[in-house]
Amino acid sequence: MATTRRDFLKIAAMLSGATGVAGFMPNSVQRALAIEPEPGSTYRDAEHIVILMQENRSFDHALGTLQGVRGFNDPRTLRQANGNSVFVQTDAAGNSFAPWRLDIKDTKITWMGSIPHSRESQVDAWNEGHYDRWIDAKRSHHPDYSQIPITMGHYTREDLPFYYALADAFTVCDQSFCGAMTSTTPNRCVFWTGTVRDAQNTSSKVYMRNSQIDGGGMTWKTYPERLQEAGVSWKFYQNELWAAGGFAGEEQAWLSNFGLNIMEFFSAYNVQANPHVVQGLHEQIAFLDKQIPKLKARLASATNPEMAAGLRAALAGYQQRYAQFNAALANSGEQHYKQLSATERALFDNAFITNAADPDYRTLETLDFAKASEQQQIQVPKGDILHQFRKDVNGGKLPLVSWLGAPERFSDHPSSPWYGAWYVSEVMDILTKNPEVWKKTIFILTYDENDGYFDHVPSFAAADPRRPETGGASAGLDTGIEYTYAEDELRQNVNPQEARTGPIGMGFRIPTIVASPWSRGGWVNSQLFDHSSTLMFLEDFVAHKTGKQVTEENISAWRRAISGNLTSCFRAHDAKEPKLNYLDRDKFVISIREAKDKEVPSDYIKLTAAQIADINGNHHHSQLMSHQEPGVRPSCALPYELYAEGSLNADRTTFTLHLKAGNEVHGAHSAGAPFNIYLRNLKQPAGKTVRPATYAVKAGDTLVEHFPLSLFADGQLLIDVHAPNGFYREFRSSPKRIPPEVSLAYETKGFRLTGNVQVHLRNPGEDTLAITIRDNAYKSGPVTKTIAPSQQASIVLPLKSSHGWYDFSVLTEASDAESRYAGRVETGQPSFSDPFMGGIV
């Protein structure tokens, strides 16, 4: 029996994704916590980076109820144009739903398949930043499930104990976004190449669809090629290739890599040199031989112009693949491998590490198990699907950089039951069995995209350079390289009904966990990351480890300006670090297989107007909302120094907004940031009363925008500003009265931040102003100040008791103006997650 299946109870448990109850800590995780790195060492002392990108889960969907992350208790979220909380999503028929729990054990949800996540459905849900079309854009294509708001469904610790345990043990990133607002393969291109363009200019081809890439023939450079050129060791491990043929029934789903290794689609890697791919090419050509005539017949009889256009696009795609597969078949297998140069062979060998040394690696076997009083069966791999990875780890042959690709059944993709927890746990088990290996290993677990599952944090997307009203960026940050148009897609034979104009990136939030001796302890990191962040981390790590600059030239300046490089996830190991006391594992018996025969989930509520008002009034406490586990968790120091200030000009006709990413506090480590702003109360009939815009500000820069009050109904200005980690500003003003000038500064003592904020006030008018600073969350009493005309004052707000978090409004008795400020002071030192969000204030 393979070493990965020690007994059936373990198999049933791990495959179920239901590996325990709250408080459970898997043996591999306990072992990882117990292994001490060298005192004083840092992440740069690691010798192995192991990276696993799983499939199709949003952050809220998987971890939205986790303690201390920006999940369902997020107190300062987007308000939609209809006035509702972002957590209340409404369909075209007027039906509204809030997040609801998907019970993985007592319903059949994990057997109900995927929901829409192609380019058009992602762009439609985002809806120009309005973020209000999730229900309609994400309806299941299954007729029995189409009226269930599956997109709003989420799991809890009870459903996913292994993942919650992993987050509790290491560092979870709650501002980690997809690289592209689309489906799997383009996101994986960003992850391994930094782009979805075949050249880094705005006239190049943009590949935003799986089908445009997985037919092969991609030519731009990938990061593994750059590692190879620099002499840096790397490997990509999988059980078997996606292009390999010879599988029947469930075999491919259990045994191939599900197309998760995009090197198969890039010409430089010569995947056709694999002997099993020859049979796969024959199978693909035979399939297309049957499908192309059928498509031609349907097209010939099509009378609907839109349907005909879609059929023509599909036919063109099939014909293109047919030509590609035949060209590859003409020179494939061993014959092709012999023709490769030494460099080409090295790329091929490293990219396509399979488990061919295990004689059973392409075989399934049947397991019998008892369900109640009946005997049941399940097909599972007979071989060890991590055979070669396990062998290299145990034999001391793990390279500097390793990537893993799971089979479909273990990938977490909703098209399969959620078996992926076993795969992740087995990787951890392999890495932690030998303390000498784990002492020098960093394991990064992330996901390619969100499938169709809702996440409440709107994307920080690139602005459309053709439409200045959609936002902008600092000089040198070309948002055009991160934007694509419907006409671009039409040129690549995308169905006209599906072609979309919109940002390439970023997509929606996904779970990311960084496990290592230098990221342990149940921390949360709230710096903005996207799929290019892992490449930027590798750039940093390889440079310090080897002295070689291996730069991914495809990453846009826009991404580099606002996305971090993961290094803020790590802390130097302190020998005095206290041991964490975790509970022992509880027994469990429920498996995913048993859930197959359960009922369809039905715990969602179609909300009434009164229920919507209850959520809008205080979703933090509403019984109609999903909530997070109470409490806070340690939070990583972040390199942010963010400002957003607004004021009326002297004649009260224009409001000026300054967006700044400072670089004085954190110096060379300072991060730029994106800002999503929402202009509200706009005049009709200009369209919607809310206009979103998105801005990217590089470190050390300030962007200035001017908004005439004539844009707003009755001149009543209302602007919201959102940035990472709960940074929020709200400005209300009108031309009727002169409001005080307000600005926020971070208090310093010497050259260090104290963790407090200073509120600077100035009275520009001719009347004395009575000003109140009202705390909105952390139970500090109000502060009042009377300021004479042309005078100013400065007030320090102490934030020690709230761990540097603040949320206050500045109001005046004689004015309807209000300035609201919320966020956290980033002192360069670790802190804790938001105590208001955690329900402890």
Side-chain angles (χ1 to χ4, degrees), residues 501-515:
T501 290
I504 293 172
M506 298 172 181
F508 305 118
R509 275 198 315 169
I510 39 86
T512 297
I513 297 175
V514 179

Side-chain angles (χ1 to χ4, degrees), residues 613-683:
D614 181 70
I615 294 175
N616 289 338
N618 190 0
H619 83 264
H620 198 70
H621 296 291
S622 173
Q623 297 302 307
L624 299 162
M625 263 292 298
S626 296
H627 293 293
Q628 292 176 242
E629 302 163 337
V632 298
R633 63 177 55 216
S635 180
C636 297
L638 305 180
Y640 286 133
E641 182 191 347
L642 304 185
Y643 305 88
E645 303 292 356
S647 61
L648 282 177
N649 66 353
D651 62 5
R652 286 176 274 173
T653 61
T654 303
F655 185 86
T656 300
L657 181 65
H658 293 78
L659 304 173
K660 178 180 178 181
N663 62 353
E664 296 179 4
V665 174
H666 308 293
H669 299 289
S670 300
F675 295 85
N676 283 345
I677 76 165
Y678 296 86
L679 307 184
R680 301 186 178 280
N681 193 40
L682 297 179
K683 287 181 177 178

Side-chain angles (χ1 to χ4, degrees), residues 410-425:
F410 295 111
S411 72
D412 286 349
H413 196 289
S415 61
S416 289
W418 200 327
Y419 296 151
W422 172 82
Y423 189 87
V424 178
S425 73

Side-chain angles (χ1 to χ4, degrees), residues 236 238 241 261 263-264 269 271 348-354:
F236 195 119
Q238 58 258 291
L241 303 187
N261 181 353
M263 269 63 89
E264 291 193 37
Y269 292 90
V271 69
F348 175 92
D349 292 341
N350 288 334
F352 305 132
I353 304 290
T354 71

